[in-house]
Amino acid sequence: MVDYHASNSQASSGGPAVYMDPREQENDWDRDLLLDPAWEKQQRKTFTAWCNSHLRKAGTQIENIEEDFRDGLKLMLLLEVISGERLPKPERGKMRVHKINNVNKALDYIASKGVKLVSIGAEEIVDGNAKMTLGMIWTIILRFAIQDISVEETSAKEGLLLWCQRKTAPYKNVNVQNFHISWKDGLAFNALIHRHRPELIDYDKLRKDDPLTNLNNAFEVAEKYLDIPKMMDAEDIVGTLRPDEKAIMTYVSCFYHAFSGAQKAETAANRICKVLAVNQENEHLMEDYEKLASDLLDWIRRTIPWLENRAPEKTMAEMQQKLEDFRGYRRVHKPPKVQEKCQLEINFNTLQTKLRLSNRPAFMPSEGRMVSDINGSWHNLEGAEKGYEEWMLNEIRRLERLDHLAEKFRQKATIHESWTDGKEAMLTQKDYETASLSEVKALLRKHEAFESDLAAHQDRVEQIAAIAQELNELDYYDSPSVNSRCQKICEQWDALGSLTQSRRESLERTEKQLESIDELYLEYAKRAAPFNNWMEGAMEDLQDMFIVHNIEEIQGLITAHEQFKSTLPEANKEREAIQAIQAEVQKIAQYNGIKLSGGNPYTTITPKTIDNKWDKVEQLVPQRDQALQEELAKQQSNDHLRRKFATQANIVGPWIQTKMEEIGRISIEMNGTLEDQLVNLREYEQSIIEYKPNIDQLEGDHQLIQEALIFDNKYTAYTMEHLRVGWEQLLTTIARTINEIENQILTRDAKGISQEQLHEYRTSFNHFDKDHSGGLMAEEFKACLISLGYDVENNKTKRTGQMDMDNYRALLVATGNSLGDAEFARIMGIVDPNNSGVVTFQAFIDFMSRETTDTDTADQVIASFKILAADKNFIMAEELRRELPPDQAEYCIARMAPYSGPDAKPGALDYMSFSTALYGESDL
């Protein structure tokens, strides 16, 4: 409204009028209620020139600012020119009342534009009050030339000052801090012109110590080339201690409006730079993802053949080295790859979130590098890894048994070959042809003893053949030499059988002619041979190698050994009885004066041989005792290792399961702000990481068990493999949960979603996620939308109150189960593009934020390029280089296709297709 009467002390004391726009409080007309004469002179010239710059468009002008506006006619005309609107028809009378009415019409129009005029009355203007007239013109300038200037949401004066500071920042000797003394040397005016029209001014030739030349140069160039009239005198500015602020602001505002077209281009360039920066960052993230995915896939491809190689080694040492290599792979090589795989998924999710937030098309990795491809390759890796350790342990067990069997074969073969040495020569000699009757009888008895001995060795030969057969079945690497030796033994054994039969037949033919046999020798021989064979068998058993894997097996061997020792007294009686026969022979010979020639003709087993072997048996018994006790101690140690591992495993296993369940609850029961949740989750993650020494300790215990060749553990159901997989899943799950919160923060900050909205989204989502799976089925998702007030029929949001599933199903029945089928199908296509049937929370909040917020679009980018191209349908490379930073200009030039429209010219670039490609085909 217009106040026609003085309403404050300023008016009553004759002070100037004040424009009281709340955004312009700093522009009080004169705090000391007095107008400096120098300032008044500057304002008269400046305001007059400013008014004439507009009035000349109507073919008129003013000479004296306080006189020429007194009748209100040119004042109304001025307002019509600068506003482009028609004012009420003026009164043409010459009387004072007509003039007052016209001025009031002008003041009413100014008031209608939201300007509160204080102390400005029509009478003062009609009376030619200079201060009031200047105040009124300053009010018009503020409203129509300065008020709409705003940079970064600042006030008009601050916005104009900020614009000047930015435009003159690169120029030496220019430091714009205000609208008075910062402009006295004229360099700031010249810098403004040079910044926008560098061809008009040679700025480097200007000197700070020559302000008159600088000011006159700027004023003349502005008037001649920019159509900005000269509104001030250089001498007045230089000669005044502090130039008038309002005069300077009025003149500078003309520069702002003269260069407004360039300002639009700068705004457009800033928008394009922002869009290109987002695109460049996204491309860098895509390249990082591709490289990391390629490196991980290459490592998996190289590792799988190594894990699938089941070619057995020939020796225990080679297989144990293979096992140690696998342990190194599990401890050193695989854990970093697990982290890389987890980080790759996190990077992919973050990139997709950024693309959605910037309204860009989703990132599609190159063929074979999708997250699903990497998960598939990882699954193949774990499939190849599964069973590899078990296969190696089985191979070590097989090689251990092979080594044991091979050594047993060599021992038995050596014993048998030692026994058969010389037997063929003995069986083929013809000594019986020249022997006496007694000698023949002796030879026959001796042969019978040999046959008994031969029969006793039959078991050993069969054992040798059976061991050789088992070595062949177990694929012993040195089977050819074993088979050759076994074949030789069997052939020799068959030959001995034939020779034995032939010699017996010869002796029996001779026996009819020869009769002389010593019954005692014969009895000795018959009893000594099996006893001797028993002792050899006992010595062989006492020296036999054994292999056990638990306490029960070694205790079984100890029990068997104790049973063997219990038979020794009875065996000693047999030895004494045999020795008594030999003693009886000696007694009879001595009694009858018989001189014995040589030894027992029926056997080569002498009493000394029996005593020596008996002594050997007695020596081997305690040695066997010691070996069995050492093995018992070893098995007891192994059992301790089993118990130690089981105790820790039975703690770690349930701990991992509990943590997995806690993470599941945390991901559902998100309390507090997202930042609080992120801090809590990271602290929770740190507590899990601090548990790592327990896993390392368990790995150490597991290695001790493997080095001890322990293959089973009855004290726990947990294996190291299960615990490793559980630990890796625990680390991956907490990392994914943290990434989900980070992406929610990113979405919230980028889309302007409040904490309360996110809490509402999470509460509704959890309400319908009945099975706590972290995803909603289609029906649950639809109910969730309705509970949040989303009108599925009309694609708009309205507050309807939360609805549970029972009420939702009732609503479906009542409406015929047809709540916006087409609209809901469109929404499902957005939140579930792969048709998995499940909507994740991230996809849900992405949809809700996209539906309720605005982002830059391809249309906006095209409009910005159109400004830079001066409304052409194409843009030239030099225009891009002039308007954009170098790196972003070259980025556009390298990616823009040549323009092929009807108005094309050489070098023209198609910015429309480029802008469309930034956002994908779906945006336009």
Side-chain angles (χ1 to χ4, degrees):
M1 62 176 289
V2 179
D3 186 354
Y4 300 103
H5 304 284
S7 61
N8 57 30
S9 60
Q10 284 181 307
S12 63
S13 62
V18 179
Y19 169 50
M20 297 302 292
D21 189 326
R23 292 171 296 179
E24 298 294 337
Q25 293 298 320
E26 71 273 17
N27 292 326
D28 291 346
W29 182 250
D30 184 7
R31 293 176 185 169
D32 298 328
L33 307 180
L34 296 174
L35 186 63
D36 186 289
W39 289 2
E40 182 177 349
K41 177 182 178 183
Q42 291 175 9
Q43 287 180 14
R44 281 178 180 276
K45 181 174 180 60
T46 301
F47 292 177
T48 300
W50 184 86
C51 292
N52 285 335
S53 70
H54 294 286
L55 288 172
R56 69 185 179 184
K57 300 174 185 177
T60 186
Q61 64 178 15
I62 61 173
E63 299 293 336
N64 188 305
I65 196 167
E66 66 268 25
E67 291 294 331
D68 293 348
F69 286 137
R70 290 178 62 182
D71 60 3
L73 295 176
K74 287 188 178 181
L75 179 59
M76 294 179 68
L77 181 61
L78 174 65
L79 291 173
E80 288 184 342
V81 171
I82 63 178
S83 69
E85 299 179 6
R86 297 290 295 178
L87 270 68
K89 186 176 181 180
E91 299 180 11
R92 294 296 179 178
K94 302 295 185 177
M95 297 177 66
R96 176 178 175 84
V97 66
H98 297 139
K99 296 178 181 180
I100 291 176
N101 288 340
N102 288 337
V103 173
N104 273 330
K105 290 178 181 180
L107 295 178
D108 288 343
Y109 176 78
I110 296 173
S112 70
K113 296 302 180 181
V115 179
K116 183 177 181 181
L117 297 172
V118 179
S119 301
I120 297 179
E123 291 82 356
E124 287 84 351
I125 305 300
V126 172
D127 292 340
N129 186 315
K131 293 182 180 180
M132 287 294 180
T133 303
L134 289 176
M136 177 189 66
I137 298 302
W138 173 241
T139 300
I140 294 173
I141 293 172
L142 276 179
R143 172 58 184 85
F144 295 99
I146 298 177
Q147 179 176 313
D148 292 336
I149 299 175
S150 178
V151 180
E152 293 186 357
E153 300 181 359
T154 59
S155 67
K157 178 180 177 181
E158 291 172 346
L160 184 59
L161 184 63
L162 180 57
W163 178 79
C164 294
Q165 289 171 339
R166 287 186 175 178
K167 295 301 180 181
T168 61
Y171 293 88
K172 62 182 180 179
N173 296 327
V174 177
N175 182 18
V176 177
Q177 297 297 325
N178 48 55
F179 284 110
H180 37 81
I181 60 174
S182 294
W183 302 83
K184 284 190 66 174
D185 60 11
L187 291 178
F189 289 110
N190 285 275
L192 277 181
I193 298 172
H194 184 270
R195 179 63 184 271
H196 296 90
R197 296 288 299 277
E199 74 279 5
L200 299 179
I201 290 180
D202 189 352
Y203 184 85
D204 292 334
K205 290 184 177 180
L206 301 177
R207 302 198 324 271
K208 186 175 181 65
D209 58 357
D210 190 4
L212 283 175
T213 300
N214 297 339
L215 288 167
N216 285 324
N217 181 66
F219 297 163
E220 290 168 3
V221 170
E223 187 171 35
K224 183 177 180 181
Y225 297 102
L226 304 178
D227 197 26
I228 299 175
K230 185 177 180 182
M231 299 183 179
M232 309 177 73
D233 290 326
E235 292 78 9
D236 293 340
I237 295 176
V238 174
T240 304
L241 183 62
R242 172 175 165 170
D244 181 64
E245 186 176 52
K246 295 170 180 58
I248 297 290
M249 284 181 64
T250 301
Y251 189 39
V252 171
S253 70
C254 294
F255 284 88
Y256 177 88
H257 291 295
F259 298 134
S260 62
Q263 185 69 20
K264 291 181 180 178
E266 180 180 355
T267 301
N270 288 337
R271 176 184 288 276
I272 292 172
C273 289
K274 179 181 177 182
V275 171
L276 294 180
V278 170
N279 233 54
Q280 288 172 315
E281 180 186 3
N282 290 340
E283 286 184 0
H284 179 68
L285 292 175
M286 294 175 191
E287 291 170 359
D288 288 348
Y289 173 89
E290 291 280 351
K291 183 179 184 306
L292 187 58
S294 296
D295 292 345
L296 184 58
L297 288 171
D298 288 341
W299 178 81
I300 293 174
R301 281 193 288 269
R302 292 194 308 270
T303 305
I304 286 178
W306 175 67
L307 292 173
E308 290 178 339
N309 180 15
R310 297 296 194 269
E313 302 296 339
K314 293 181 179 180
T315 65
M316 279 276 290
E318 291 172 329
M319 281 305 299
Q320 286 174 336
Q321 182 58 48
K322 206 176 187 83
L323 179 61
E324 187 60 32
D325 292 342
F326 178 74
R327 290 174 182 150
Y329 156 79
R330 289 310 307 263
R331 291 196 308 268
V332 179
H333 301 293
K334 186 183 178 186
K337 299 302 177 182
V338 173
Q339 295 299 319
E340 287 181 15
K341 175 177 175 293
C342 180
Q343 189 62 45
L344 192 69
E345 294 179 6
I346 290 173
N347 291 351
F348 180 84
N349 293 335
T350 301
L351 174 58
Q352 297 292 34
T353 299
K354 288 186 175 182
L355 289 172
R356 286 193 297 270
L357 294 177
S358 58
N359 205 20
R360 302 302 194 274
F363 169 53
M364 289 297 294
S366 56
E367 184 176 358
R369 292 182 176 86
M370 294 287 291
V371 172
S372 58
D373 296 324
I374 294 170
N375 287 335
S377 297
W378 191 265
H379 179 73
N380 294 337
L381 173 74
E382 292 184 330
E385 180 181 323
K386 186 178 182 181
Y388 185 68
E389 186 177 28
E390 182 180 355
W391 170 78
M392 285 189 291
L393 292 174
N394 288 335
E395 275 299 307
I396 290 174
R397 190 181 303 178
R398 184 182 70 84
L399 289 174
E400 181 186 40
R401 176 159 178 75
L402 283 175
D403 288 347
H404 171 69
L405 289 174
E407 182 61 24
K408 193 169 186 177
F409 174 83
R410 286 190 288 271
Q411 285 184 0
K412 289 186 177 294
T414 299
I415 293 172
H416 178 76
E417 288 167 347
S418 176
W419 179 83
T420 59
D421 184 39
K423 293 298 190 289
E424 288 188 16
M426 180 195 73
L427 292 173
T428 56
Q429 64 184 345
K430 304 294 184 180
D431 55 337
Y432 55 85
E433 293 180 351
T434 58
S436 63
L437 178 60
S438 59
E439 289 173 340
V440 170
K441 285 183 180 290
L443 290 174
L444 184 58
R445 299 296 183 271
K446 182 179 179 180
H447 188 70
E448 288 176 353
F450 172 77
E451 285 182 328
S452 177
D453 198 11
L454 184 68
H457 280 79
Q458 177 68 34
D459 289 340
R460 182 179 292 115
V461 174
E462 291 175 354
Q463 290 175 8
I464 290 171
I467 293 172
Q469 178 64 27
E470 189 170 0
L471 288 171
N472 277 278
E473 291 174 352
L474 294 176
D475 195 22
Y476 182 55
Y477 77 96
D478 200 21
S479 291
S481 64
V482 170
N483 293 337
S484 175
R485 191 171 184 181
C486 182
Q487 181 67 24
K488 184 177 179 181
I489 289 173
C490 291
E491 290 175 353
Q492 186 185 43
W493 183 256
D494 292 339
L496 286 177
S498 298
L499 291 174
T500 299
Q501 182 64 27
S502 176
R503 183 171 177 80
R504 169 176 265 289
E505 292 174 355
S506 298
L507 288 173
E508 285 177 347
R509 286 193 301 269
T510 306
E511 185 185 16
K512 294 179 180 179
Q513 304 168 356
L514 302 174
E515 291 179 357
S516 180
I517 190 166
D518 190 336
E519 292 295 337
L520 291 174
Y521 271 143
L522 182 58
E523 183 182 358
Y524 174 90
K526 287 183 177 181
R527 294 181 68 172
F531 184 73
N532 181 69
N533 195 52
W534 173 85
M535 287 192 298
E536 287 181 348
M539 288 189 294
E540 184 178 344
D541 290 340
L542 291 171
Q543 297 178 87
D544 190 19
M545 297 176 62
F546 57 83
I547 178 171
V548 295
H549 297 95
N550 52 56
I551 293 178
E552 290 76 11
E553 292 180 0
I554 188 60
Q555 287 176 339
L557 290 180
I558 291 174
T559 300
H561 183 62
E562 293 299 324
Q563 291 175 351
F564 166 76
K565 289 196 297 183
S566 67
T567 65
L568 289 179
E570 194 64 32
N572 190 41
K573 290 180 181 179
E574 177 66 12
R575 181 185 67 82
E576 291 173 349
I578 293 172
Q579 297 294 50
I581 294 174
Q582 181 65 25
E584 183 66 21
V585 170
Q586 295 295 335
K587 182 178 178 181
I588 293 173
Q590 291 176 2
Y591 181 78
N592 295 294
I594 300 172
K595 186 177 180 180
L596 299 175
S597 59
N600 191 320
Y602 305 117
T603 181
T604 58
I605 302 172
T606 66
K608 184 178 180 181
T609 299
I610 292 176
D611 286 341
N612 288 340
K613 290 184 178 180
W614 180 258
D615 292 340
K616 180 66 174 176
V617 169
E618 289 185 323
Q619 292 173 5
L620 290 175
V621 167
Q623 293 177 8
R624 183 75 167 185
D625 283 334
Q626 181 179 356
L628 290 173
Q629 290 303 317
E630 289 175 353
E631 183 63 28
L632 177 61
K634 175 184 174 183
Q635 291 303 323
Q636 289 173 338
S637 174
N638 289 352
D639 201 59
H640 172 72
L641 290 177
R642 288 188 183 95
R643 292 177 183 273
K644 183 179 180 184
F645 174 83
T647 300
Q648 184 69 4
N650 291 335
I651 295 173
V652 172
W655 183 88
I656 291 175
Q657 180 63 33
T658 299
K659 293 300 177 184
M660 288 292 290
E661 294 172 356
E662 289 178 357
I663 293 174
R665 288 196 300 273
I666 290 173
S667 64
I668 293 173
E669 302 170 359
M670 292 296 187
N671 297 318
T673 66
L674 291 179
E675 285 74 9
D676 293 340
Q677 296 172 22
L678 189 60
V679 169
N680 293 336
L681 282 172
R682 283 177 175 160
E683 291 176 353
Y684 195 80
E685 182 185 37
Q686 185 59 35
S687 71
I688 292 175
I689 293 173
E690 290 172 355
Y691 197 75
K692 181 65 162 54
N694 295 282
I695 304 298
D696 295 337
Q697 177 186 344
L698 208 56
E699 286 282 7
D701 294 342
H702 179 62
Q703 181 168 346
L704 292 177
I705 284 178
Q706 289 191 332
E707 290 173 353
L709 299 179
I710 300 172
F711 303 108
D712 57 356
N713 194 336
K714 63 183 179 180
Y715 301 112
T716 181
Y718 294 102
T719 66
M720 195 64 233
E721 180 65 23
H722 293 155
L723 296 175
R724 288 189 196 114
V725 171
W727 175 252
E728 292 169 0
Q729 288 177 345
L730 181 61
L731 293 177
T732 300
T733 300
I734 186 64
R736 285 173 177 165
T737 304
I738 289 174
N739 180 245
E740 178 184 348
I741 299 301
E742 291 173 337
N743 283 341
Q744 290 179 30
I745 292 174
L746 188 62
T747 300
R748 180 199 67 191
D749 294 343
K751 296 295 186 178
I753 301 174
S754 68
Q755 185 67 37
E756 291 73 18
Q757 284 178 301
L758 274 179
H759 179 73
E760 183 180 17
Y761 294 160
R762 168 57 78 181
T763 301
S764 296
F765 189 91
N766 290 343
H767 179 75
F768 291 98
D769 183 15
K770 301 298 185 182
D771 57 357
H772 306 302
S773 63
L776 300 180
M777 304 300 290
E779 186 178 89
E780 294 172 333
F781 174 61
K782 194 171 188 180
C784 185
L785 287 180
I786 294 176
S787 75
L788 288 170
Y790 192 90
D791 189 345
V792 185
E793 286 281 359
N794 301 310
N795 187 18
K796 63 182 180 180
T797 303
K798 60 183 181 180
R799 306 312 301 169
T800 59
Q802 193 173 73
M803 179 185 301
D804 61 22
M805 282 299 295
D806 293 335
N807 292 334
Y808 169 68
R809 291 190 179 95
L811 179 59
L812 287 180
V813 173
T815 58
N817 199 21
S818 59
L819 287 180
D821 292 340
E823 171 61 16
F824 186 66
R826 179 190 74 81
I827 294 173
M828 286 300 294
I830 295 173
V831 298
D832 184 22
N834 298 323
N835 295 322
S836 65
V838 177
V839 179
T840 65
F841 182 68
Q842 185 63 45
F844 169 63
I845 61 173
D846 283 347
F847 168 76
M848 293 303 295
S849 62
R850 182 168 11 182
E851 292 294 312
T852 56
T853 58
D854 187 24
T855 60
D856 59 277
T857 66
D859 285 333
Q860 293 173 334
V861 175
I862 290 174
S864 297
F865 274 118
K866 197 173 187 69
I867 292 174
L868 299 186
D871 287 334
K872 300 190 300 293
N873 291 327
F874 58 85
I875 194 167
M876 306 301 292
E878 55 268 23
E879 292 175 317
L880 288 171
R881 292 190 176 102
R882 184 177 69 240
E883 301 294 344
L884 299 180
D887 60 332
Q888 295 186 331
E890 298 305 323
Y891 177 85
C892 292
I893 294 169
R895 287 163 173 76
M896 283 186 182
Y899 178 72
S900 58
D903 53 343
K905 57 192 297 186
L909 300 175
D910 186 352
Y911 63 78
M912 293 187 181
S913 297
F914 172 74
S915 301
T916 303
L918 287 178
Y919 292 85
E921 295 297 334
S922 62
D923 189 70
L924 293 183

